[in-house]
Amino acid sequence: MLGKGTKIINVGIADLQGGQSPEILRTTLGSCIGVVFYAPEKKTGAMAHFMLSKDPGGKDSQKNPLKYAETAIPLLIKKMTELGCHPGDYSVRLFGGASMFKGVQSSFLQHIGEQNILTARTLLEQSKIPVIVEDVGGNDGRTISLYLDDGRILLKKAGFEKYLYKVR
């Protein structure tokens, strides 16, 4: 049950949103990746939902930067700075990257999730932002909700729900 004044902010595909307690950030993922930043002292967080690791032609990312990991993750870091948080104040949790196209005869489609996971990990490592929790891969989509009051994540996957409380 939501407390009085709690607002749910939906994060769409190729989208990025930030907020502060008591807000909740929520997204649903398949092969896409949800990158979740949370700063526990400030009860502030941001979430990006990107579709692909890189822009193959290099032109679409100028028009749709939140669609690609290589451009969305730097924008997510920028969003946290705009919210008054700096690297060291927050950590990251990763979700998604499922193999949603197993029956399709396309190597590209079959490996989108894996490539998204690898690229996200690499970019976060290069940015020196520690990944403290991840629930990635597999064949099931996920819905994640970040509760900004304490940083817990409600993960819904394959008909099950569980809370993830690690924020550092």
Side-chain angles (χ1 to χ4, degrees):
M1 191 151 153
L2 298 177
K4 186 176 181 180
T6 302
K7 177 180 168 188
I8 297 173
I9 300 169
N10 288 306
V11 182
I13 297 171
D15 191 14
L16 182 157
Q17 298 290 330
Q20 295 181 307
S21 179
E23 297 169 328
I24 299 167
L25 300 176
R26 178 175 293 156
T27 197
T28 299
L29 306 159
S31 59
C32 296
I33 295 284
V35 182
V36 179
F37 286 175
Y38 182 69
E41 280 77 32
K42 297 187 179 185
K43 298 185 180 221
T44 299
M47 183 185 296
H49 178 148
F50 68 81
M51 295 173 62
L52 299 168
S53 60
K54 297 179 182 186
D55 178 3
K59 294 183 180 167
D60 190 45
S61 62
Q62 294 171 17
K63 189 170 57 176
N64 300 305
L66 298 174
K67 187 175 176 180
Y68 304 97
E70 65 184 357
T71 45
I73 290 175
L75 290 172
L76 186 60
I77 294 168
K78 181 180 176 191
K79 181 67 168 180
M80 286 299 284
T81 302
E82 290 169 1
L83 291 168
C85 303
H86 305 285
D89 293 344
Y90 54 89
S91 55
V92 65
R93 293 169 278 177
L94 284 181
F95 299 91
S99 294
M100 304 298 289
F101 304 101
K102 284 294 183 195
V104 178
Q105 297 300 313
S106 165
S107 178
F108 172 75
L109 289 177
Q110 289 179 2
H111 298 288
I112 287 174
E114 293 170 29
Q115 193 59 49
N116 284 345
I117 294 165
L118 291 173
T119 302
R121 286 178 181 154
T122 300
L123 291 168
L124 292 164
E125 185 178 308
Q126 289 170 353
S127 299
K128 297 180 176 34
I129 303 170
V131 177
I132 58 165
V133 171
E134 59 179 46
D135 189 287
V136 295
N139 298 308
D140 297 312
R142 300 159 172 83
T143 296
I144 55 170
S145 301
L146 169 62
Y147 291 77
L148 293 168
D149 59 346
D150 64 2
R152 75 190 180 279
I153 299 261
L154 174 60
L155 170 66
K156 296 180 182 182
K157 179 175 77 172
F160 294 96
E161 293 183 357
K162 69 178 175 181
Y163 281 102
L164 306 171
Y165 288 96
K166 186 171 182 179
V167 296
R168 288 213 170 274

